[in-house]
Every structure is written in structure tokens, then in C-alpha cells.
Amino acid sequence: MKSNRTDLIHDPSGFVLLAEYVPGIIQEIRYYSTYNFIGDRIDGYEEPCALLTKEAARALKSVSNELMVQGYRLKVFDAYRPVSAVKHFILWGIEDQDIRMKPYFYPDLQKQELFAKGYIAKQSSHSRGSTIDLTLLDMATGRELDMGSPFDRFGEISHPDYRDIAQEQYDNRMLLRRAMLRGGFEPIDCEWWHFTLKDEPYPETYFDFPVSAEYLRK
């Protein structure tokens, strides 16, 4: 890749379209839609596609293969996230009046707590390109597994080790977690859906090119 840092953060050459690496993966890119904690499409999301570094995509393919044998498919909500999207989150956090999605995504928290408690980062691992938000879909029923809380439901209920949920819901979280750990990904302590490749190729670089298949192919 180019040595100039300005060029580097806009260079997608180390990234791939996840769907081309992991056949059968399901994508519901929430930040391209308006169904997210802000309620608007997020800056930088120009197409509803998941991008990842080649290394993370390769590792996720192994996870997918293992889970498909067990009857599950991966469903992705977010992958690479541009720095411009993170800036959108931060600006939204400053605008105290806008809480229209609070009942759906943070009913028990004030907006400012989302940043203070670490649910929304001011510098996101997603921007390094090897972090992914995902869940499992049961191939027999065609439905997502019940994880006890939906994606981006901020609060203790979404902590992976939260036990005030049904045993089946907890077991589903652990099914996803164990598969991702075996695949070389690391979890975080406040979101059951969030994993980062342990040996990520760009641990110090935060990219800012758009989420776009067209841009990737330039």
C-alpha cells in the first residue's frame, strides 16, 4: 500500500466485498438504512454492502463454514465503518434534541451515556477494517436466533455475559462467541454482536473511504 498516510486512509486495496468471500452470508447493513440508533442513513455508507480486510474476510469464511455444517448462517449488520461515519455519530451526540430512536435502541440510557459508557466509540475499531457486527440465522426456520436483545440495543442487557435472560438466549450468544473465538476473533464486554480479528492487519490505521462496491473496484 502507499506510504503517504493521507493516501493510505483512502486506499481500499487491502479490502474485499464480504459477500464475494463468504457465499451465503446475509447482509442487513443498518447504517445504510434509517433503522439505526440515529434514525438516518449514516455518512459514508453509499451502498448496502459489507467490506472487510482480506484477512478478516478469510477468517470469517472459516467461521461461516463451521456454522453452516451446524445449520446456521451468519448475518452481518456492520463491518468496515468509515471515519466519516464515526464523526456523524459524534455530531449526533452533541445535538441533545434528537432522541427519536431512544425507545428502540437506548430506552434505559441518556444519549450522553452512550459515549461515556463505551457503547459508541469516538474512534472505532470498525474503521480499521477487521471488526464486524453479526448474529446467527437458523437455516431450518429462516429466522435470527434469539440473543436476548437486538443489534445496537445499548445497555447491560446486551453485555455478552448478562444472565438475566433465558438460558436459550444465553446459549445462542455463546454459540456465536465460541465460533468467532475459534476463528481468531476477539469479543468486547458490552456488545454480544461485536468481534475484531485478533491479528488485524491495520491495527494503527483508521480508514475513511466510503462503503461502496464501486469505490472498491476503482
Side-chain angles (χ1 to χ4, degrees):
M1 296 181 71
K2 302 179 181 72
S3 58
N4 182 279
R5 183 160 181 82
T6 301
D7 290 338
L8 180 63
I9 64 174
H10 294 99
D11 182 358
S13 60
F15 289 70
V16 296
L17 278 171
L18 185 57
E20 293 182 353
Y21 259 65
V22 188
I25 199 163
I26 301 164
Q27 301 181 74
E28 185 183 333
I29 308 303
R30 288 287 186 84
Y31 300 140
Y32 178 80
S33 75
T34 58
Y35 185 54
N36 57 60
F37 64 88
I38 288 182
D40 298 316
R41 182 186 293 181
I42 305 304
D43 293 349
Y45 285 80
E46 296 182 358
E47 295 183 51
C49 59
L51 310 183
L52 273 184
T53 62
K54 295 173 184 175
E55 293 83 356
R58 192 176 298 118
L60 197 66
K61 181 177 181 179
S62 296
V63 175
S64 176
N65 289 344
E66 174 189 331
L67 288 167
M68 287 188 76
V69 172
Q70 301 176 50
Y72 304 103
R73 292 170 68 182
L74 296 176
K75 180 175 181 178
V76 177
F77 297 115
D78 194 32
Y80 160 68
R81 181 184 305 163
V83 170
S84 60
V86 179
K87 290 178 179 177
H88 189 166
F89 293 172
I90 294 169
L91 288 173
W92 168 81
I94 296 170
E95 298 171 357
D96 293 345
Q97 307 93 325
D98 184 3
I99 56 170
R100 59 198 142 112
M101 302 305 283
K102 178 178 170 63
Y104 309 101
F105 294 99
Y106 52 106
D108 304 319
L109 296 170
Q110 298 304 312
K111 180 193 284 194
Q112 292 73 19
E113 291 182 282
L114 301 180
F115 296 88
K117 293 180 178 292
Y119 295 112
I120 303 175
K122 293 184 177 180
Q123 192 173 46
S124 175
S125 62
H126 281 275
S127 300
R128 303 195 300 263
S130 296
T131 294
I132 191 157
D133 295 336
L134 76 177
T135 190
L136 295 176
L137 184 138
D138 188 329
M139 293 167 65
T141 64
R143 296 182 178 180
E144 291 179 28
L145 295 191
D146 186 350
M147 297 292 189
S149 69
F151 168 66
D152 266 1
R153 168 59 160 83
F154 301 122
E156 287 189 19
I157 193 172
S158 292
H159 292 198
D161 59 355
Y162 185 76
R163 293 309 305 259
D164 195 17
I165 54 177
Q167 185 63 44
E168 181 181 1
Q169 295 169 331
Y170 180 78
D171 290 344
N172 289 340
R173 292 183 180 189
M174 293 303 106
L175 174 64
L176 174 62
R177 183 187 182 96
R178 287 192 295 268
M180 294 297 285
L181 286 171
R182 285 192 294 270
F185 291 85
E186 293 184 320
I188 58 173
D189 61 6
C190 61
E191 296 174 349
W192 60 257
W193 55 80
H194 177 115
F195 298 89
T196 299
L197 186 67
K198 183 177 181 179
D199 296 320
E200 58 181 310
Y202 307 108
E204 305 295 333
T205 304
Y206 293 81
F207 292 87
D208 198 23
F209 58 85
V211 176
S212 163
E214 181 181 358
Y215 187 91
L216 201 67
R217 294 183 173 120
K218 285 183 179 179

